[in-house]
Amino acid sequence: MQDKPTIAPAARSDADPAVELIGLSKTYAASKKAPAKTALHGIDLVVPRGSIFGLLGPNGAGKSTAINILAGLVNKTSGTARIMGYDIETQTRAARASIGIVPQEIAMDVFFTPFQALELQAGYYGVPKSERRSEEILAALGLSDKRDAYVRQLSGGMKRRLLIAKALVHNPPVLILDEPTAGVDIELRRQLWAYVRELHARGTTVILTTHYLEEAEALCDRIAIIHEGRIVANESKDSLLSRMDKRMLVITPVDELATVPESLSDLDAQIEDGNLVITYQKGTDSVTALMNRVKDVGLSIDDLRTDQPDLEDVFLQLTYGSG
């Protein structure tokens, strides 16, 4: 059993970011079957303390490589990575004690009970028995009634909760959730969202990777988008969304339209599900002017609304040049 990591107070400052990557790069060596591949191209990234930070990107973008470097599972090629001010290379034990990681894959010893799994994990981190919170964590994640059941008897959703529980046993100030709701039902997803918000309210910095863009939009206050090993955006969620200056005026006519009226053909307009959808530029086109043109056509309006882009539109634009 390892001793509890010794953390030198002078090694960090309360002003340090939760996570800081400076020129971090990773190149996987060539093999007989594949050439060398650069997964990270010297990325710079700062995760502020106390944030819920989204790290988004398509498959193969470099998200998992960055997380695995922080976790100590992959060696970086060059650059610097710090967790709560601790360098992962020169202050390894202190850095690892400052982070909890919930992996995407469910992997655990099925012959332990949830309580035993947490106690064992706490032992790995050198948490004294008097300071362990296994019962409290199981209760918080709705696993108290499964305390003494074997892990192999748990459902997939319960196993995912147990993964989160194991990441929390040493009370880390930074928690990384790698696709935490992949393959779980809607109800469990909502429960996990609620618990993430609770952890955040207690001061935990949360880093979330997810393919559910609505999840990132609902939870995160800051988002970085990584594509082909490079950071293509890193800003507040609101700032990201404001990049898209397109808006849509959606008009539901009393009588369904088959085609766009000829007098509106110069507009970016189309028929979708019986609605007349006019795309316009915010700050350039006047909604009032557009409505006046629609009225001039003699169109009777049953309902109307304006839509603005969501995170999926921004993501597609930044990673695939569409949207």
Side-chain angles (χ1 to χ4, degrees), residues 23-314:
L24 190 68
S25 68
K26 175 61 183 179
T27 298
Y28 292 98
S31 66
K32 293 181 179 180
K33 296 183 178 180
K37 175 178 174 55
T38 299
L40 295 176
H41 295 269
I43 65 171
D44 297 323
L45 185 67
V46 172
V47 177
R49 288 195 190 197
S51 62
I52 301 183
F53 191 97
L55 182 60
L56 310 181
N59 290 331
K63 302 188 302 297
S64 294
T65 296
I67 289 172
N68 287 336
I69 288 174
L70 290 173
L73 300 176
V74 170
N75 293 324
K76 61 186 174 65
T77 300
S78 63
T80 301
R82 300 189 186 102
I83 304 168
M84 298 298 286
Y86 300 115
D87 189 288
I88 65 168
E89 194 168 43
T90 61
Q91 298 166 298
T92 305
R93 298 184 71 185
R96 291 185 186 175
S98 299
I99 194 171
I101 296 181
V102 181
Q104 182 177 349
E105 298 80 13
I106 297 177
M108 58 186 73
D109 194 320
V110 297
F111 295 101
F112 283 111
T113 68
F115 180 77
Q116 290 170 336
L118 295 197
E119 288 291 292
L120 184 63
Q121 188 80 357
Y124 288 151
Y125 281 95
V127 180
K129 287 193 174 184
S130 61
E131 297 177 16
R132 294 181 187 178
R133 303 179 300 118
S134 299
E135 301 281 10
E136 174 191 332
I137 295 171
L138 288 174
L141 287 164
L143 291 171
S144 290
D145 61 335
K146 301 296 182 181
R147 177 190 188 279
D148 299 316
Y150 287 116
V151 168
R152 67 175 182 269
Q153 297 172 318
L154 302 182
S155 67
M158 289 179 179
K159 289 176 182 176
R160 194 162 292 281
R161 291 188 216 180
L162 184 55
L163 283 178
I164 296 175
K166 288 179 65 177
L168 295 173
V169 295
H170 59 298
N171 197 30
V174 180
L175 179 66
I176 296 182
L177 303 172
D178 189 7
E179 301 284 348
T181 58
V184 304
D185 60 49
I186 294 175
E187 183 58 32
L188 176 55
R189 190 179 304 172
R190 288 174 178 169
Q191 291 175 9
L192 292 177
W193 285 10
Y195 191 60
V196 167
R197 291 189 177 101
E198 184 180 333
L199 287 171
H200 176 246
R202 295 179 190 173
T204 303
T205 300
V206 179
I207 301 174
L208 171 70
T209 77
T210 178
H211 280 99
Y212 299 109
L213 294 180
E214 72 277 11
E215 189 167 80
E217 192 164 358
L219 290 173
C220 300
D221 45 51
R222 190 169 185 87
I223 292 172
I225 296 176
I226 186 170
H227 183 53
E228 296 180 347
R230 295 179 173 86
I231 300 294
V232 296
N234 179 13
E235 52 200 85
S236 71
K237 176 179 65 181
D238 291 341
S239 176
L240 264 181
L241 292 174
S242 70
R243 286 187 180 213
M244 298 287 288
D245 58 359
K246 289 183 179 181
R247 297 291 186 270
M248 288 171 286
L249 179 63
V250 182
I251 299 170
T252 303
V254 173
D255 299 315
E256 187 171 329
L257 290 173
T259 59
V260 176
E262 181 65 29
S263 59
L264 301 179
S265 60
D266 61 309
L267 300 176
D268 184 357
Q270 54 189 326
I271 303 297
E272 295 182 3
D273 298 324
N275 297 320
L276 174 62
V277 180
I278 302 174
T279 302
Y280 64 97
Q281 297 289 123
K282 180 185 176 183
T284 302
D285 299 313
S286 164
V287 175
T288 301
L290 292 174
M291 287 302 303
N292 287 335
R293 289 195 58 182
V294 172
K295 289 178 182 178
D296 291 342
V297 174
L299 193 65
S300 297
I301 298 173
D302 182 53
D303 191 18
L304 64 88
R305 71 177 189 273
T306 57
D307 286 348
Q308 62 183 26
D310 57 19
L311 187 56
E312 182 174 5
D313 298 312
V314 179

